[in-house]
Amino acid sequence: MAPLSRGMLIVIEGLDRAGKSTQHARLCQSLESQGRRVKRMRFPDRTTPIGKSIDAYLKGESQQEDHVIHLLFSANRWEAAAQIRNAIEEGTTVVIDRYYYSGIVYSAAKGKADLSLKWARDPEIGLPRPDVCVFLDIAPEAAAKRGGFGREKYETNAMQKRVRELFYELIATSDGLDICVVDAGRDVEEVEKDVMERVKDVMKQPKMTQPLTE
Ligand code: DGP
Ligand code: NA
Ligand code: NA
């Protein structure tokens, strides 16, 4: 792979049960085995005070108005923004399990007239923009068969179906928001190989590090 002085910003996205955590771990390992410094991150980061409120909400232990929880999820990304930028600038590749893509689609998937994709995207403007977002795509029915969804807030078939549709709406926007689709309904090794291919593609032609714009 071509040497880059800055690190890359790579995001793994997908529905619940798409295999994000597994692919995230494998990608980090193979980048490290190629001699890259890697920083693993995930959102929501449930360890911060804001993250703890999100955790309670997702577990059904507290209620939040839909716009409020969206802004908390967004704030949870903003509180890590400087850390992400600094890591990339010093040459570390940052690999994140979920980012503003989930942020935009899960909130908009609630179907509120006053909580559109655009409304949900606006607070994300200015966050570090990834070189690539690999979307692990799986039919909600196939995802549900993988041991069934858990008990958290959004883990229902109807919600997952709508989330998937909205991911495709983001992909259809002018710049596709840097999303590459990988079929996650296959064997772990096959998916892993494709994820690495997509990452190699962007390493050949890295973008400038830049914030998300309107
Ligand atoms: P995880 O810990 O990866 O299972 O993610 C927790 C859940 O939170 C998952 O269902 C996706 C959802 N989520 C992540 N970011 C956001 C966001 O910004 N807004 C909303 N509404 N949901 C989000
Ligand atoms: Na989840
Ligand atoms: Na996960």
Side-chain angles (χ1 to χ4, degrees):
M1 273 174 220
L4 257 186
S5 58
R6 72 165 174 90
M8 309 215 5
L9 179 55
I10 302 167
V11 173
I12 305 290
E13 277 283 3
L15 301 183
D16 291 279
R17 302 264 168 191
K20 282 188 309 304
S21 303
T22 304
Q23 293 301 333
H24 181 260
R26 289 186 176 220
L27 176 62
C28 289
Q29 268 185 343
S30 46
L31 290 170
E32 277 171 343
S33 72
Q34 291 160 13
R36 285 174 191 278
R37 272 202 309 275
V38 173
K39 181 176 173 60
R40 295 160 168 77
M41 296 183 79
R42 67 173 308 166
F43 292 108
D45 171 0
R46 303 189 194 213
T47 64
T48 69
I50 290 169
K52 287 187 175 119
S53 309
I54 294 171
D55 183 56
Y57 169 81
L58 288 169
K59 289 180 172 149
E61 296 163 4
S62 73
Q63 312 295 312
Q64 298 276 3
E65 196 277 335
D66 290 326
H67 300 81
V68 172
I69 192 66
H70 182 72
L71 295 173
L72 288 179
F73 272 109
S74 182
N76 186 238
R77 288 183 279 276
W78 273 105
E79 58 186 349
Q83 220 186 316
I84 295 172
R85 259 192 314 271
N86 292 341
I88 294 166
E89 277 163 22
E90 67 169 29
T92 299
T93 288
V94 178
V95 186
I96 323 181
D97 180 341
R98 292 197 196 277
Y99 194 44
Y100 54 59
Y101 307 87
S102 280
I104 298 168
V105 296
Y106 277 78
S107 288
K110 294 176 179 180
K112 298 241 159 124
D114 60 357
L115 214 175
S116 62
L117 280 179
K118 183 187 180 309
W119 192 93
R121 190 183 191 276
D122 277 353
E124 317 296 324
I125 291 169
L127 284 174
R129 181 172 175 163
D131 291 278
V132 64
C133 165
V134 177
F135 173 56
L136 300 177
D137 189 31
I138 188 167
E141 302 76 31
K145 275 190 201 137
R146 296 182 166 179
F149 291 123
R151 278 185 294 273
E152 289 207 326
K153 192 88 177 170
Y154 302 134
E155 300 186 9
T156 65
N157 270 324
M159 182 69 180
Q160 301 291 319
K161 193 164 168 277
R162 187 63 187 137
V163 163
R164 190 188 194 203
E165 287 168 1
L166 289 176
F167 262 111
Y168 276 95
E169 273 192 40
L170 287 187
I171 292 166
T173 56
S174 57
D175 56 7
L177 221 56
D178 316 301
I179 302 171
C180 286
V181 181
V182 165
D183 174 4
R186 300 167 298 159
D187 288 347
V188 175
E189 283 74 23
E190 287 176 78
V191 178
E192 181 183 2
K193 197 165 152 278
D194 268 14
V195 171
M196 200 61 209
E197 284 303 314
R198 297 291 82 75
V199 169
K200 279 183 186 167
D201 287 345
V202 294
M203 279 177 175
K204 281 181 216 146
Q205 283 188 316
K207 297 172 189 162
M208 296 298 292
T209 312
Q210 55 188 342
L212 177 66
T213 51
E214 296 214 19

